Amino acid sequence: MFNKLESLLAKTDIILSSEQKQQLVDYVNMLNKWNKAYNLTSVRDPEQMLVRHIMDSIVVNPFLQGTRFIDVGTGPGLPGIPLAIVRPDSHFTLLDSLGKRVRFLRQVQHELGLTNVEPVQSRVEEFTPEVLFDGVISRAFASLQDMLSWCHHLPKATDGRFYALKGIVPEEELTQLPSGISLDAVIPLLVPEQEGQRHLVVLK
């Protein structure tokens, strides 16, 4: 698994320490183990998890601005846990409404010694942060409109951003952005061994 991760990373510009690589592999092993009982992801093969979960998450890192992020609808911690591992100086709130997922996240936090994540069980529209976020990240929402309507209260008003991980560019959704929201960037993402297009849509 470690060698597989290294071969994937070698196809990118991402430089990680041995400890970070080990944490990512340990996370996949935990995900694989818990998945048998908790059904956390439809991806069953750990090597595929490295591609479709780990690499798909961490390629976003260079484009994030700020240090305080919330991963809404994080599920088993995607993309929040991999990003927290590769971005140790940033803090990630991991929000999910399902108790079994949050229990898994707390176990990951404990076993991997991640001090920069905070798992929270809540519906996103009911969650009120004490401090607003530099970035709201999600790869779970069906549409940008849903993300904006449920998460509008989470980013900083001045320079907060929404980061939506998407497949193909959601052209139609981008023509229907509500007032006060503008498109900052659409960034093509290169995920080694991942089929199909991947894009990061940044809104502010």
Side-chain angles (χ1 to χ4, degrees):
M1 286 284 284
F2 195 91
N3 291 344
K4 174 67 175 176
L5 177 60
E6 290 207 308
S7 75
L8 290 167
L9 289 168
K11 297 172 185 170
T12 72
D13 298 330
I14 301 168
I15 308 293
L16 299 178
S17 69
S18 293
E19 184 186 6
Q20 287 171 312
K21 293 173 192 170
Q22 190 59 56
Q23 283 179 312
L24 290 169
V25 169
D26 290 346
Y27 170 59
V28 167
N29 287 332
M30 287 185 71
L31 190 52
N32 184 47
K33 183 175 126 187
W34 279 60
N35 204 33
K36 295 175 172 67
Y38 281 77
N39 201 23
L40 298 167
T41 167
S42 59
V43 182
R44 299 292 176 203
D45 174 32
E47 289 206 353
Q48 274 301 302
M49 289 181 189
L50 284 176
V51 174
R52 292 168 60 183
H53 290 335
I54 301 302
M55 298 304 298
D56 193 70
S57 295
I58 65 177
V59 292
V60 173
N61 182 46
F63 309 108
L64 301 181
Q65 298 179 37
T67 57
R68 278 181 53 77
F69 301 94
I70 181 167
D71 178 8
V72 289
T74 186
L78 298 163
I81 293 281
L83 284 171
I85 290 170
V86 303
R87 199 181 180 93
D89 294 333
S90 293
H91 186 274
F92 291 83
T93 298
L94 309 173
L95 195 72
D96 203 274
S97 59
L98 264 186
K100 68 177 183 179
R101 293 180 187 146
V102 175
R103 281 194 295 278
F104 171 69
L105 293 172
R106 290 197 178 117
Q107 192 63 30
V108 170
Q109 179 186 23
H110 172 69
E111 287 194 26
L112 301 189
L114 295 176
T115 56
N116 63 332
V117 301
E118 181 188 2
V120 176
Q121 184 178 351
S122 173
R123 294 171 62 87
V124 63
E125 60 270 34
E126 294 165 3
F127 177 65
T128 310
E130 290 177 17
V131 183
L132 296 176
F133 296 95
D134 297 314
V136 178
I137 306 171
S138 181
R139 66 174 207 166
F141 280 103
S143 72
L144 296 175
Q145 281 66 30
D146 284 348
M147 183 180 187
L148 293 168
S149 70
W150 290 340
C151 306
H152 62 89
H153 60 297
L154 298 175
K156 290 178 182 172
T158 46
D159 53 0
R161 284 172 169 77
F162 294 93
Y163 299 94
L165 282 74
K166 293 283 189 180
I168 57 172
V169 181
E171 302 283 4
E172 190 174 330
E173 293 173 28
L174 290 172
T175 64
Q176 300 166 9
L177 296 177
S179 64
I181 301 288
S182 62
L183 177 63
D184 193 27
V186 177
I187 302 159
L189 299 171
L190 179 66
V191 184
E193 298 185 24
Q194 170 86 295
E195 291 178 11
Q197 297 181 38
R198 300 296 288 156
H199 290 87
L200 177 65
V201 177
V202 186
L203 306 172
K204 62 179 181 181

